[in-house]
Amino acid sequence: MKTLVIVSHPQIDESGTQNFLKASFPQSDEVAWHELSADFKVDEERQLLLDYQRIIFQFPLYWYSMPALFKKWVDEVFDGDFVFAGETPLANKELGLVVSTGIAQKQFQAGNGEAFTISEMLRPFEMMANKLGMNYLVPLMIYQFEYYTNEQKQGLVVEYQQYLMLKKFTFDDKLQWFIEELNQQEQTLLAESLAAKKVELENLSWQVQVMREDDGEG
Amino acid sequence: MKTLVIVSHPQIDESGTQNFLKASFPQSDEVAWHELSADFKVDEERQLLLDYQRIIFQFPLYWYSMPALFKKWVDEVFDGDFVFAGETPLANKELGLVVSTGIAQKQFQAGNGEAFTISEMLRPFEMMANKLGMNYLVPLMIYQFEYYTNEQKQGLVVEYQQYLMLKKFTFDDKLQWFIEELNQQEQTLLAESLAAKKVELENLSWQVQVMREDDGEG
């Protein structure tokens, strides 16, 4: 499966989230990172879409939707002459969203600040996918990345890579992905994390042993 | 109450709906028609917003949201430095939407083509109004204007003018509006329509009379 990640952010170089996602991007021929430029060519963009099976829109939330340049891309590239041409070229492809926001997750519910859920807020994208005959994937939401702990960041690397590469998002598929990653790439963040955990465990064991010995002497 | 109607349409001169709405626009100092140009000045737009109490976004639906240029306007004009400045300058104003679409109204429901309701589709605007402390008005939707009968068009003139000018949308207020309109402006479309109906009625009466006379002779 080939995945195209279309990225648009008005200040992409200054975005901690986007820089992190770029650094976390899978090293694979199956996945392409495509940053939108203001002078995109409609025909080239359409050809790109045809070449991939999973299309991901990656953007920061701007007023509960995509930034203006990305909307321009949608309005111009998804012209009726293209998307509803005889063969409906995007039908049966997948549409995913990777959306970052500075708002806390708990705000998106009835009775709290934003009052509505993410599912409701993103309905226009779901309706777009339906219209195009595309399979709408569960969005990958990134809330308040600036407050992420190192462990949350490691979790995001895994979640992001799986979102781009896994055919299905079942537990079995995710587990299989972990095993393959660990087997193939000893230098991945995951392996490093597990190695760090192993050292931590050995330190703990040693401390417990010392305490026991102290107890024995007391 | 002063109302600002911000209009954005990528091909506004060719749009039957927008031309009709422009022709239907109330002749009143209380209401301003403001077409977005691609080189709008953020400061001027902000000053305009401050001068009005009811803000209307008027646009054709593009992929279940506003056209890209209008989104650019939102992203740039509604910068945090402006909308969340100490005095939150847009708080307690009203936000209305006049949205046209080529899709039939009945499609917007579970089980039908678009699967979701207009209320769900427009959540991002409702969330925007909430965030800004604005009062979100029931959107005025225009479905498939190209198939409107003359009577539907007359109904739209009334609905549109009321949407821009009435303080409240209660039945009493709407009725009062009718009475004032009819009293004040003999040349309005409404008055013309009623005049036409009166002529039609007189013609019918005359025909009935002729038929009765025929009967009497028969």
Side-chain angles (χ1 to χ4, degrees):
Chain A
M1 192 194 63
K2 294 181 72 182
T3 297
L4 176 68
V5 183
I6 308 174
V7 186
S8 185
H9 189 298
Q11 290 97 31
I12 196 160
D13 294 333
E14 298 157 36
S15 162
T17 317
Q18 297 303 326
N19 283 326
F20 182 83
L21 293 176
K22 197 169 187 175
S24 310
F25 208 71
Q27 303 292 319
S28 162
D29 295 338
E30 300 289 296
V31 190
W33 172 281
H34 176 54
E35 269 175 43
L36 275 196
S37 75
D39 58 348
F40 63 83
K41 303 278 178 298
V42 167
D43 285 343
E44 291 173 15
E45 301 296 317
R46 288 178 180 170
Q47 189 54 52
L48 258 180
L49 291 173
L50 297 180
D51 292 342
Y52 291 84
Q53 179 58 23
R54 178 174 293 172
I55 314 294
I56 311 276
F57 290 173
Q58 180 174 309
F59 58 86
L61 204 59
Y62 267 55
W63 289 107
Y64 310 106
S65 186
M66 59 194 348
L69 174 64
F70 214 154
K71 187 57 168 48
K72 183 167 184 276
W73 183 95
V74 166
D75 288 356
E76 294 183 11
V77 174
F78 287 178
D79 184 89
D81 293 340
F82 172 60
V83 293
F84 304 126
E87 70 266 31
T88 55
L90 302 181
N92 303 315
K93 293 181 187 284
E94 294 175 315
L95 180 66
L97 306 175
V98 176
V99 181
S100 58
T101 172
I103 302 169
Q105 179 168 14
K106 66 181 176 189
Q107 296 296 329
F108 293 95
Q109 57 181 308
N112 223 338
E114 303 297 341
F116 299 104
T117 63
I118 293 295
S119 293
E120 288 173 283
M121 181 186 78
L122 296 176
R123 285 282 189 252
F125 295 96
E126 189 175 355
M127 295 172 86
M128 180 194 297
N130 288 348
K131 189 71 139 197
L132 296 170
M134 296 177 81
N135 182 16
Y136 183 66
L137 302 181
V138 177
L140 171 54
M141 294 297 302
I142 304 170
Y143 305 94
Q144 299 191 305
F145 178 77
E146 65 272 31
Y147 301 135
Y148 267 37
T149 63
N150 282 339
E151 277 176 9
Q152 285 176 308
K153 283 179 183 168
Q154 284 177 14
L156 178 57
V157 174
V158 172
E159 207 183 352
Y160 184 56
Q161 293 202 354
Q162 291 184 338
Y163 195 68
L164 306 190
M165 299 192 71
L166 278 188
K167 270 196 182 153
K168 288 180 291 181
F169 301 131
T170 62
F171 181 79
D172 278 353
D173 283 353
K174 288 183 180 178
L175 188 65
Q176 185 58 34
W177 182 88
F178 261 103
I179 292 166
E180 286 173 14
E181 279 296 306
L182 289 171
N183 284 343
Q184 287 174 12
Q185 301 182 290
E186 282 188 10
Q187 292 83 18
T188 59
L189 277 172
L190 280 170
E192 284 170 21
S193 161
L194 286 174
K197 284 254 180 300
K198 189 156 169 282
V199 171
E200 199 179 320
L201 204 66
E202 285 167 354
N203 282 341
L204 269 175
S205 302
W206 180 79
Q207 285 175 34
V208 169
Q209 197 184 340
V210 168
M211 283 190 290
R212 277 188 184 148
E213 284 170 2
D214 284 352
D215 256 8
E217 283 174 5
Chain B
M1 191 196 62
K2 293 181 74 181
T3 298
L4 176 68
V5 183
I6 309 173
V7 186
S8 185
H9 189 298
Q11 289 98 31
I12 196 161
D13 294 334
E14 297 158 33
S15 162
T17 317
Q18 296 303 325
N19 283 325
F20 182 83
L21 294 176
K22 196 168 187 177
S24 310
F25 208 70
Q27 302 293 318
S28 162
D29 295 339
E30 299 289 297
V31 190
W33 172 280
H34 176 54
E35 269 174 44
L36 275 197
S37 76
D39 58 349
F40 62 83
K41 302 279 180 294
V42 168
D43 287 342
E44 291 173 15
E45 301 296 316
R46 288 178 181 171
Q47 189 53 52
L48 257 180
L49 291 173
L50 297 179
D51 293 342
Y52 291 85
Q53 178 58 23
R54 178 174 291 171
I55 315 293
I56 310 276
F57 290 173
Q58 180 173 309
F59 57 87
L61 204 59
Y62 267 53
W63 289 107
Y64 310 107
S65 186
M66 59 194 347
L69 174 64
F70 213 153
K71 187 58 171 47
K72 183 167 185 275
W73 183 95
V74 166
D75 288 356
E76 295 183 11
V77 174
F78 287 177
D79 185 89
D81 294 340
F82 172 60
V83 292
F84 304 126
E87 69 267 33
T88 54
L90 301 181
N92 303 316
K93 292 181 187 285
E94 296 176 311
L95 179 66
L97 305 176
V98 177
V99 181
S100 58
T101 171
I103 302 168
Q105 180 168 11
K106 66 181 177 189
Q107 295 297 328
F108 292 95
Q109 58 181 308
N112 223 338
E114 303 297 339
F116 299 105
T117 63
I118 292 295
S119 293
E120 289 175 282
M121 181 187 78
L122 296 176
R123 286 283 190 249
F125 295 97
E126 190 175 356
M127 295 173 86
M128 180 193 297
N130 288 347
K131 188 71 139 198
L132 296 170
M134 297 177 80
N135 181 16
Y136 183 67
L137 303 180
V138 177
L140 171 54
M141 294 296 303
I142 304 170
Y143 305 94
Q144 299 190 305
F145 178 77
E146 66 272 31
Y147 301 136
Y148 267 37
T149 63
N150 281 340
E151 277 176 9
Q152 285 176 309
K153 282 180 184 169
Q154 284 178 14
L156 178 58
V157 174
V158 173
E159 206 183 355
Y160 184 55
Q161 293 202 355
Q162 291 185 340
Y163 195 69
L164 306 190
M165 299 194 70
L166 278 188
K167 270 195 182 152
K168 289 181 289 183
F169 302 131
T170 61
F171 180 78
D172 278 353
D173 283 353
K174 288 183 180 178
L175 189 64
Q176 185 58 34
W177 181 90
F178 261 102
I179 293 166
E180 288 173 11
E181 281 293 308
L182 288 173
N183 284 341
Q184 288 174 11
Q185 302 182 291
E186 285 189 6
Q187 291 84 19
T188 59
L189 278 173
L190 281 169
E192 284 170 19
S193 161
L194 287 174
K197 285 254 181 301
K198 189 156 169 283
V199 170
E200 198 179 321
L201 204 65
E202 286 168 354
N203 281 341
L204 269 175
S205 303
W206 180 78
Q207 283 174 35
V208 169
Q209 198 182 343
V210 168
M211 283 191 289
R212 276 190 186 149
E213 287 171 2
D214 283 350
D215 257 6
E217 286 175 7

